[in-house]
């Protein structure tokens, strides 16, 4: 049950998580900017980072699937509503981009001075991004979708690049051409693609639920999955066949098959390998952060077990011990991969890095994760 005390604790946990992660990210991103060779344009790297953030934009319309039969006859009377929906998405993106560019400017130029011309250009970039996202609903096939995405990506990238380079003429010309084309394209009278609007809204909600699920259980959260036969076969051979390993087997298969957890693990591991190569002297500290983030974000996996699985004649303590063992194994595996990458890519890998990482994983699992495991079993989902 979500009592006020539980909600307050989760809110404090969320704030602390963001404070720690943001501070460490800013520190290492600054080191990364200093590491970039002189022949590589820093503006190109910053523009790529901003473009990647903007390309993830979702247009929020707050439409539910059951609303179609009621709203379809009123489609042409809902113009003002959808304009307000676009305005809402626009404001969210402006705030996000302003915050991001402020951080980037403070790291790269050592200033947070955003004057009116820069603010105007940021507004123009966000407007273009939102309108380009909105036009996706009228694309007819996959080829058009791919070309549209490529056009959107490179246009945003070039506008951000010219913004960081202070090339105002190229920036204004590119932005003007793109906005005029978009206004002309959107101005044509078309019916709304309701299926696209619903999928877009459900995707945005799912993203929010996945984020909330990091800090508290979200019931009935839909997961995308994939049957990875090779990894499943390896798990069958590696996990001994015994009653005590039943839930270790189930947790391992859920982790491998659920895209959310599996791709998260891969992404964080690859980021750790890259940081070890870019910043070898401080990479072992970042490895600790990677291990913490991985372990923290796989904690909700314990609630993915369905209620029917509790019919196994296994005690709740054994179930939760299996989950702790599972987290311990994947974190040790990630630690050895990161250490091996540091050993191969650099000459700074020392054995005490591995010892410190191993101690951190053990303490993290049995003194932090163990307190997050639900021993009552009440959070298991049907």
């Amino acid at each position: 049950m979500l009592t006020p005390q539980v909600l307050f604790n989760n809110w404090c946990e969320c704030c602390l998580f963001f404070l720690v992660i943001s501070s460490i990210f800013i520190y290492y991103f600054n080191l990364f900017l200093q590491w970039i060779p002189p022949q590589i344009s820093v503006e190109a790297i910053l523009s790529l980072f901003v473009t990647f953030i903007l390309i993830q934009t979702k247009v929020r319309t707050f439409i539910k699937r059951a609303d179609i039969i009621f709203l379809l006859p009123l489609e042409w009377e809902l113009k003002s509503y959808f304009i307000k929906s676009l305005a809402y998405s626009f404001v969210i993106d402006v705030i996000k981009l302003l915050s991001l560019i402020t951080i980037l400017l403070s790291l790269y130029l050592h200033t947070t001075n955003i004057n009116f011309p820069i603010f105007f250009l940021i507004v123009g970039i966000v407007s273009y991004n939102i309108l380009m996202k909105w036009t996706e609903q009228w694309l007819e096939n996959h080829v058009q979708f791919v070309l549209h995405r490529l056009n959107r990506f490179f246009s945003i990238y070039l506008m951000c690049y010219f913004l960081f380079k202070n090339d105002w003429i190229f920036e204004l010309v590119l932005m003007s051409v793109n906005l005029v084309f978009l206004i002309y394209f959107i101005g044509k009278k078309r019916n709304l693609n309701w299926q696209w609007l619903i999928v877009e809204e459900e995707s945005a909600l799912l993203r929010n639920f996945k984020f909330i699920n990091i800090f508290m259980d979200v019931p009935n959260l839909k997961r995308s999955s994939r049957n990875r036969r090779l990894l499943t076969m390896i798990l069958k051979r590696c996990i001994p066949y015994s009653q005590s390993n039943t839930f270790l087997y189930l947790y391992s298969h859920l982790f491998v098959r659920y895209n959310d957890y599996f791709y998260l693990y891969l992404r964080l591991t690859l980021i750790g390998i890259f940081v070890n190569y870019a910043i070898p002297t401080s990479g072992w500290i970042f490895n600790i952060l990677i291990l913490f983030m991985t372990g923290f974000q796989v904690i909700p996996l314990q609630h993915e077990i369905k209620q029917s699985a509790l019919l196994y004649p296994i005690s709740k303590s054994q179930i939760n011990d299996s989950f702790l063992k599972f987290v311990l194994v994947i974190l040790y595996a990630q630690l050895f991969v990161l250490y091996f990458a540091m050993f191969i890519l650099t000459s700074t890998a020392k054995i005490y890095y591995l010892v410190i990482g191993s101690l951190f994983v053990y303490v993290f699992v049995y003194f932090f994760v163990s307190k997050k495991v639900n021993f009552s079993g009440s959070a298991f989902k049907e």
Side-chain angles (χ1 to χ4, degrees):
M1 182 178 179
L2 293 178
T3 63
Q5 182 63 37
V6 172
L7 291 174
F8 176 76
N9 291 340
N10 285 320
W11 181 82
C12 293
E13 188 177 84
C14 178
C15 293
L16 179 62
F17 176 81
F18 265 109
L19 181 62
V20 173
I21 297 301
S22 300
S23 302
I24 297 177
F25 170 79
I26 291 173
Y27 172 75
Y28 277 99
F29 193 76
N30 189 28
L31 291 181
F32 170 70
L33 293 178
Q34 298 173 8
W35 168 81
I36 295 176
Q39 59 270 23
I40 299 178
S41 172
V42 176
E43 291 86 352
I45 302 296
L46 298 181
S47 302
L48 185 64
F49 184 74
V50 173
T51 303
F52 177 77
I53 297 298
L54 283 180
I55 210 74
Q56 310 297 323
T57 294
K58 298 290 183 183
V59 177
R60 300 299 306 273
T61 56
F62 306 99
I63 293 176
K64 306 297 182 183
R65 191 170 293 273
D67 294 337
I68 293 183
I69 57 175
F70 302 104
L71 298 180
L72 195 57
L74 304 173
E75 178 174 330
W76 296 107
E77 300 178 19
L78 294 172
K79 183 177 180 180
S80 61
Y81 173 81
F82 288 111
I83 290 176
K84 292 177 182 177
S85 298
L86 289 173
Y88 170 82
S89 302
F90 167 79
V91 171
I92 296 298
D93 266 17
V94 166
I95 295 173
K96 179 170 63 177
L97 190 56
L98 276 174
S99 304
L100 183 62
I101 289 183
T102 300
I103 295 174
L104 295 179
L105 289 178
S106 63
L107 291 176
Y108 173 56
L109 301 176
H110 304 289
T111 178
T112 57
N113 183 26
I114 296 182
N115 50 34
F116 181 77
I118 293 179
F119 177 77
F120 173 78
L121 295 174
I122 291 174
V123 169
I125 293 173
V126 173
S127 301
Y128 173 79
N129 181 51
I130 292 293
L131 292 177
M132 283 290 282
K133 182 66 179 180
W134 181 254
T135 58
E136 284 185 3
Q137 62 179 301
W138 295 306
L139 301 179
E140 298 178 356
N141 52 57
H142 183 69
V143 175
Q144 289 185 1
F145 179 80
V146 172
L147 293 176
H148 183 276
R149 276 293 178 92
L150 289 175
N151 179 36
R152 180 183 166 202
F153 178 87
F154 286 110
S155 297
I156 294 175
Y157 176 80
L158 289 175
M159 286 190 287
C160 293
Y161 178 77
F162 292 141
L163 175 64
F164 287 124
K165 291 285 287 187
N166 294 326
D167 290 336
W168 307 115
I169 296 178
F170 289 105
E171 177 79 11
L172 291 173
V173 170
L174 181 61
M175 187 175 296
S176 300
V177 171
N178 286 328
L179 288 178
V180 168
F181 171 77
L182 271 176
I183 292 172
Y184 169 77
F185 185 79
I186 294 176
K188 295 183 178 181
K189 194 173 183 179
R190 294 184 177 90
N191 292 325
L192 293 173
N193 186 339
W194 289 91
Q195 183 63 30
W196 183 88
L197 295 177
I198 291 170
V199 171
E200 188 74 8
E201 178 63 23
E202 289 179 346
S203 177
L205 280 175
L206 182 60
R207 179 186 295 179
N208 293 339
F209 288 153
K210 287 178 180 178
F211 173 75
I212 296 172
N213 196 52
I214 296 174
F215 305 98
M216 65 181 72
D217 182 39
V218 179
N220 302 321
L221 178 61
K222 294 181 181 180
R223 301 282 186 190
S224 60
S225 61
R226 183 179 177 183
N227 186 15
R228 297 178 171 89
R229 296 182 179 179
L230 178 61
L231 292 177
T232 301
M233 183 175 62
I234 294 175
L235 287 177
K236 288 180 180 179
R237 293 181 177 273
C238 293
I239 301 177
Y241 183 79
S242 64
Q243 187 181 49
S244 60
N245 290 323
T246 299
F247 277 84
L248 177 62
Y249 180 85
L250 291 176
Y251 284 128
S252 301
H253 275 69
L254 286 175
F255 172 75
V256 166
R257 291 181 176 178
Y258 277 156
N259 292 331
D260 301 341
Y261 297 103
F262 184 75
Y263 288 138
L264 169 74
Y265 187 80
L266 289 182
R267 284 195 301 269
L268 290 176
T269 304
L270 291 175
I271 291 173
I273 292 173
F274 177 76
V275 171
N276 283 327
Y277 172 72
I279 316 172
T281 56
S282 303
W284 69 275
I285 302 177
F286 194 82
N287 289 345
I288 299 297
L289 174 63
I290 292 291
L291 293 170
F292 171 79
M293 293 176 63
T294 303
F296 191 83
Q297 295 190 65
V298 298
I299 291 175
L301 182 66
Q302 64 176 310
H303 303 312
E304 301 297 336
I305 297 291
K306 294 185 178 180
Q307 192 73 27
S308 57
L310 297 179
L311 297 175
Y312 285 102
I314 296 177
S315 65
K316 297 295 193 304
S317 60
Q318 283 184 301
I319 294 174
N320 291 288
D321 287 342
S322 296
F323 181 74
L324 294 178
K325 185 177 180 180
F326 156 76
V327 177
L328 189 73
V329 169
I330 65 170
L331 291 185
Y332 273 138
Q334 188 178 51
L335 171 64
F336 283 115
V337 169
L338 295 175
Y339 179 81
F340 183 74
M342 181 185 294
F343 180 79
I344 295 296
L345 298 174
T346 70
S347 59
T348 60
K350 297 179 174 61
I351 191 64
Y352 70 82
Y353 292 165
L354 187 62
V355 174
I356 293 175
S358 301
L359 290 175
F360 171 79
V361 169
Y362 185 86
V363 172
F364 174 75
V365 171
Y366 286 104
F367 290 89
F368 180 80
V369 178
S370 60
K371 296 180 181 179
K372 301 288 182 180
V373 176
N374 187 291
F375 283 87
S376 64
S378 59
F380 287 92
K381 297 194 298 183
E382 184 61 49

